[in-house]
Amino acid sequence: MAKKQIVKQINHDEAKKLLDQGAVLIDVRESMELMSKKVPSALHHPLSGLNGPIDTKDAKAAIFFCASGARTNGYATKLASSVKCDAYMLTGGIHALSRMGVPTEGSGGMFKLFGIGAILLIAGWATGIIPGT
């Protein structure tokens, strides 16, 4: 079957229907982002390293996702051209997958811890508790 050249944003309900029909998920987030939360069933192809075709394992459709949907939407044409099947961009990213009940691993809280640590470090420098350079 020839590719229909679909490059369309879809919501989590539409994605669920496609997954039930055998679509494959493709995570385009960077490796560091996977430490926070990842989808074990998804193929991982970081956008920064995407230089060639993606093997979708004979799926009829590929659903690309990132953290929020902004990256996949911004690079929709490039992503669609990397697969030989229909391509869709998931609005809402990994958070939409969580709402769909797609199993994920990780707490999603690692970046919150980094943020809290950065605030404490800056507060320490500002108050003189931690000496500056």
Side-chain angles (χ1 to χ4, degrees), residues 11 13 28 52 54 66-67 85 122:
N11 64 31
D13 290 331
V28 299
I54 295 174
C66 58
C85 57
I122 291 168

Side-chain angles (χ1 to χ4, degrees), residues 107-122:
S107 66
M110 187 172 114
F111 291 107
K112 289 179 188 174
L113 290 176
F114 283 132
I116 292 169
I119 290 169
L120 291 174
L121 186 60
I122 291 168

